[in-house]
Amino acid sequence: MSNFLLLPIIIPFFFGMLLMFAPKNIRYQRIGAMTGLTIALVTAIALLFKVKNEGIQVVTFGDWPAPFGITLVSDTVSALLVLTSVILAFFTVWYSISAIGKERESFFYYPGILFMLTGVNGAFTTGDIFNLFVFFEVLLMSSYLLIVLGGEKAQLRESIKYILVNVISSAIFVITVAFLYSVVGTLNMADIAVKIAAIGQPGIITVIAVLFLIVFGLKAAIFPLYFWLPSSYAAPPIPVLALFGALLTKVGVYAITRTYTLFFVHDTGFTHELLMILSVLTILAGCIGALAYFDVKKIIIYNIIIAVGVILFGVSQMNDNALMGSMFYLIHDMLIKAALFFLVGIIIAVTGTSDLRKMGGLMKTHPALGWFYLIAAFGLAGIPPLSGFVGKLLIVRGGFEAGNLGASIWILLSSLVVLLSVIRIFIYAFWGKEQGSLQQIDKGQYRMMFIPTAILVMLTVFYGVGSEWITPFMQDAANILNNPSVYTDAVLKE
Amino acid sequence: MEVIMAFVIGFLFMAAVYLMLSKSLLRIIIGTGLLSHGAHLLILTMGGLGGSAPPVLADGVTDMADAIPQALILTAIVISFGVTAFFLVLAYRAYQELGTDDMNLMRGTDEDDE
């Protein structure tokens, strides 16, 4: 059945619609969202193995031949990302049940998450540049709802800025697609790649490449364009923040990866050099922010920016090792960021504050939380048996192979800063004397928040320890990214 | 014809950027409206302004306008319409809650709320 790759997109959409019929029935909302995501999870796993066994899956709607209809393409890169997003949405909904509060649950919170997942999965799977824009808008519209839902003052204030930035970047996206259309005369991504290869990337295509970098860089928060992210992400409640931090910036990262490995590969001396410089600066900006704050949310938010820089550095190197490292690190980072936000959310719920200086002594009262936090923190920094290690190792190796010694060493040094920033949370919150009164959240609620978090942390540990099983998928993904012809042949042969 | 359109679109972008850099929230939203008008006109222009007939099948017509940019614009229009409606309601709510439409007064960190 060749329509199988549509299921991870359609199922969340369908369940999102079903949930809209009875917003006030919270039981129905919770069960419906969990059921939908479980089914989506099964199909996403099945899709990944199907892609692994049978090669790239392609569907062109309405039986039109490939460049004329809208094509959806599921290769290993997108199947891995789709699976990771569904896993994260699943854990976020599970965590939300006790963390988000009944008022939000009865005002289309779960449909918002499901529609956002529809947009994210669609953006990962599409093979049409304008369809990518439409899926971007689907996920952005849902994110507007989620960021402002609740209507607190900080949320209203920050969502205005968030929406403004995204409206502008969407307009630039439309403009860029218009320019690209006027040069190559097609919208199908594989066809664009072939046409650009045929004209050998003249100057105008390089300009379009930089415009795409601006558009997707605004979504992904790379160096000069990350200004909106720290304050916007601090506004919504923790489960929404976890979903945004894990998924939304990564869609931008994926879009940069796709366009820079499929379209703009003929003038890498300029475009990829630019991407490398920006990614190094992104890491620098993130490191400064991660060390500057005493607010637990802000520290992890700046760590998102660091990770975006690391992944894009790998993409800019354009060799097998670095691209494979980027894929490894991308999936790792999505999982670990969600886990860290969940853990930080529990810390905030227990202590009643997000200010590190007002915390202390949690190790005595919540030892399990402390140990899981420590594992997640080491995983983020890339201590060998844990999940962040393999990705960064391969990225640095790829950097050395491409001859960028200084930048690669800077990646390694940034790991120290990452470790320092998250260990500061551990030292302040878990060691020392108990400070102030602990917030009394009841045992049941604490357990409901802790169980999904603990499972997610264990999943990241498994991801690190079992990297040998995951390597074939990553090799496949790197092969597709490094050889655009694999992708274009799969799409255009039919 | 395309050159004239390019100038008009450039002027729209200039006005949009100017409005979006102002203090009042409503002027910013008007700026986003002009920005999307500019973007939509740009798609139309970049598709080429050739063709003497609308892209509808009819007897004896061979020189039709390019249909794809029109479909893209139609999609982009409804999307920007939805986003603008949401943005306007958000501005209204923010005015009710925060009591200001001056973007300079909407700064602040979480510490200010407590």
Side-chain angles (χ1 to χ4, degrees), chain A residues 48 75-85 327 331 473-474 477:
Chain A
L48 180 60
D75 54 8
T76 325
V77 183
S78 68
L80 278 168
L81 287 164
V82 163
L83 175 61
T84 318
S85 347
M327 277 309 291
I331 307 286
F473 295 101
M474 297 298 172

Side-chain angles (χ1 to χ4, degrees), chain A residues 435-449:
Chain A
Q435 272 194 36
S437 58
L438 291 184
Q439 199 90 340
Q440 293 300 320
I441 66 164
D442 60 285
K443 274 263 159 12
Q445 196 196 355
Y446 176 75
R447 211 173 295 132
M448 274 297 287
M449 282 162 87

